[in-house]
Amino acid sequence: MNTESNLKDLGISGKLIEGLNELGINSPTEIQVKSIPFLLEKGTDFIGQAQTGTGKTAAFGVPILQNIDLSKKQVQALILAPTRELVQQIAKQLFRFTKYTDKIFTEGVYGGEKIDLQIERLKRPTHIVVATPGRLLDLLKENAVDLSRIKTLVLDEADEMLSMGFEDQLKRILDHTSGSRSTWLFSATMPGGIKAIIDQHLDQNAFSVRIDAKNQVNSNISHVYSICQAADKNDRITAFLDDHGGERGLIFCRTKAGATTLASVLAKLKYSADVLHGDMNQKERDKVMRAFKKERLDLLVATDVAARGIDIKELSFVIHQQLPEQMEYYTHRSGRTARAGKKGTSYALIHPRDMERLKAIQAQLNIKFKQLHEKKVSPWDRIK
């Protein structure tokens, strides 16, 4: 069976398949196989538990796009996401999926941009709105968007929206849009807050899909680690970077202070690096992301939340200055490399006491870590 027929078997239209193929999406992922046929045919309440990087945008995006009624110039679907970057990424992907279809209009709305500009854009025919919860509520107060006739509401990365403090906003939006619409909820984990939303706002017979975490990590990623003390981590990072000269990557830190300090150290050592964290204003974040996307920067040092929604295809590696606190964040972090069929490396720097945690990640995600034995290089050698 050829790759196109795999997508056809899900019920996807030929024009959408053309757009997907052009993006390198030739065979469906597990979440797509288990969700798209149901969402295309029935489209009723749905719960999908899957990590970031498993193809969720196409899993909900393709059914939404295929079921848009182009004769009706009204908002027919609302997609909520936790960050501006993820909203932009989803809107961009939906646009790319429809390269060969009749025109479907999608509008992304989020904080950090003048609301007047978004109000003006929403006056144009709009079929799909992708939004952060806070900005959507601002627009509803201004009566700038009509959600009374939406058929589908998607909550993407629902657990992340709750962890970022959007629980009250989500409940208000769910109440505001209640009626004949269906709700599709996607979440990596199912904490109590998510279960409460499901109990209160979704049908008790909602179709549910759970993707085993062991099948979620990209097989094109090589997972390596070094054991070192905290004081040695900068030297290990720079040694790795020297071995991968000319390549581009992401470095993840747990804290904003740690990310800022590391980016400063790398800049002083003449690496092409900058930082991205939650305390930066939107203008600063946009400036850094533009530089990174346009390859004026080789390295981006980021915190987990700040890196949500980053989709840069040509990243050769990801470095973990520390292992993430949450298991699913390892999948999210490592999934930033090896995009679009390319190979990549995920490099973790761990303290000796973190070996058990590394083993747990290895077992739960069904991956194999290899210890990296790098040569030691004095930082003074780089400064000379």
Side-chain angles (χ1 to χ4, degrees):
M1 184 179 292
N2 62 42
T3 54
E4 185 170 328
S5 66
N6 280 332
L7 292 171
K8 280 185 176 178
D9 287 347
L10 302 185
I12 304 173
S13 71
K15 294 295 186 182
L16 279 170
I17 288 175
E18 284 186 64
L20 293 169
N21 287 166
E22 191 157 308
L23 295 171
I25 302 172
N26 298 304
S27 56
T29 64
E30 187 177 358
I31 185 66
Q32 291 162 5
V33 169
K34 291 184 175 180
S35 60
I36 288 177
F38 172 83
L39 297 177
L40 279 172
E41 184 180 348
K42 297 187 177 179
T44 52
D45 286 0
F46 173 88
I47 302 163
Q49 185 172 355
Q51 306 284 356
T52 298
T54 52
K56 290 190 281 90
T57 302
F60 63 73
V62 167
I64 285 175
L65 292 168
Q66 191 157 317
N67 289 326
I68 290 293
D69 185 345
L70 293 174
S71 69
K72 297 177 180 177
K73 299 184 186 304
Q74 62 195 40
V75 180
Q76 298 170 45
L78 169 65
I79 302 168
L80 295 177
T83 67
R84 169 191 175 114
E85 288 79 15
L86 189 53
V87 166
Q88 291 173 324
Q89 179 185 324
I90 293 169
K92 188 175 184 179
Q93 287 293 88
L94 296 183
F95 175 75
R96 288 174 169 173
F97 293 165
T98 58
K99 180 173 180 178
Y100 298 101
T101 71
D102 292 331
K103 186 65 176 175
I104 297 173
F105 295 95
T106 299
E107 198 64 58
V109 293
Y110 38 76
E113 183 179 71
K114 290 183 178 179
I115 193 170
D116 292 346
L117 295 175
Q118 295 176 350
I119 291 172
E120 282 302 309
R121 289 202 293 265
L122 286 167
K123 290 178 180 177
R124 304 178 299 196
T126 305
H127 298 114
I128 303 167
V129 170
V130 191
T132 51
R135 178 47 57 96
L136 181 67
L137 288 172
D138 293 338
L139 291 164
L140 289 172
K141 286 179 188 175
E142 300 289 335
N143 293 314
V145 59
D146 180 7
L147 301 178
S148 63
R149 289 171 288 186
I150 65 169
K151 297 183 293 185
T152 308
L153 168 61
V154 177
L155 306 180
D156 189 25
E157 301 202 3
D159 53 350
E160 195 66 27
M161 286 194 278
L162 258 61
S163 71
M164 293 175 68
F166 290 131
E167 185 169 2
D168 289 342
Q169 290 97 319
L170 285 181
K171 289 178 179 177
R172 286 162 61 191
I173 293 167
L174 285 161
D175 288 338
H176 179 88
T177 58
S178 61
S180 58
R181 58 106 174 113
S182 297
T183 302
W184 304 349
L185 183 146
F186 288 81
S187 189
T189 59
M190 291 290 166
I194 296 295
K195 291 176 181 176
I197 286 175
I198 290 171
D199 290 342
Q200 294 171 28
H201 297 280
L202 273 72
D203 189 281
Q204 62 178 359
N205 296 315
F207 187 71
S208 182
V209 168
R210 183 180 185 277
I211 306 305
D212 189 342
K214 290 189 176 183
N215 298 326
Q216 294 189 20
V217 180
N218 188 333
S219 60
N220 287 329
I221 301 172
S222 298
H223 303 271
V224 298
Y225 73 96
S226 289
I227 301 174
C228 59
Q229 300 295 322
D232 299 324
K233 287 190 175 184
N234 286 355
D235 280 353
R236 296 298 178 96
I237 289 172
T238 52
F240 180 90
L241 295 177
D242 288 347
D243 285 342
H244 293 76
E247 298 178 11
R248 305 177 68 234
L250 264 168
I251 305 175
F252 283 96
C253 299
R254 277 190 189 172
T255 67
K256 289 172 273 194
T260 301
T261 300
L262 178 57
S264 177
V265 168
L266 292 175
K268 287 177 181 177
L269 292 171
K270 306 303 181 184
Y271 293 95
S272 175
D274 211 334
V275 67
L276 192 72
H277 60 70
D279 281 350
M280 297 166 65
N281 63 43
Q282 200 61 57
K283 187 175 181 180
E284 292 170 329
R285 289 164 61 93
D286 287 346
K287 182 180 178 182
V288 171
M289 280 308 303
R290 275 196 305 273
F292 194 49
K293 287 180 178 179
K294 293 182 178 180
E295 300 188 17
R296 294 197 296 265
L297 285 174
D298 292 333
L299 305 170
L300 187 62
V301 185
T303 55
D304 286 295
V305 172
R308 283 286 180 184
I310 290 178
D311 185 22
I312 310 292
K313 289 184 172 59
E314 303 298 327
L315 297 185
S316 300
F317 58 84
V318 166
I319 299 175
H320 313 263
Q321 189 192 45
Q322 306 97 1
L323 289 174
E325 293 181 3
Q326 300 180 46
M327 183 74 67
E328 62 268 18
Y329 274 15
Y330 183 83
T331 303
H332 163 68
R333 287 177 173 190
S334 60
R336 299 307 95 193
T337 188
R339 310 288 276 190
K342 301 290 178 68
K343 293 189 179 296
T345 301
S346 176
Y347 176 38
L349 294 156
I350 66 167
H351 190 276
R353 64 172 173 265
D354 293 327
M355 273 304 297
E356 289 305 312
R357 179 153 182 76
L358 190 79
K359 291 176 183 177
I361 292 174
Q362 182 171 260
Q364 291 189 39
L365 299 181
N366 196 31
I367 57 179
K368 180 69 176 175
F369 281 96
K370 181 180 178 181
Q371 187 168 4
L372 190 66
H373 297 285
E374 63 283 274
K375 58 184 179 295
K376 290 191 175 183
V377 180
S378 167
W380 296 107
D381 291 338
R382 299 187 189 90
I383 296 172
K384 288 175 185 176

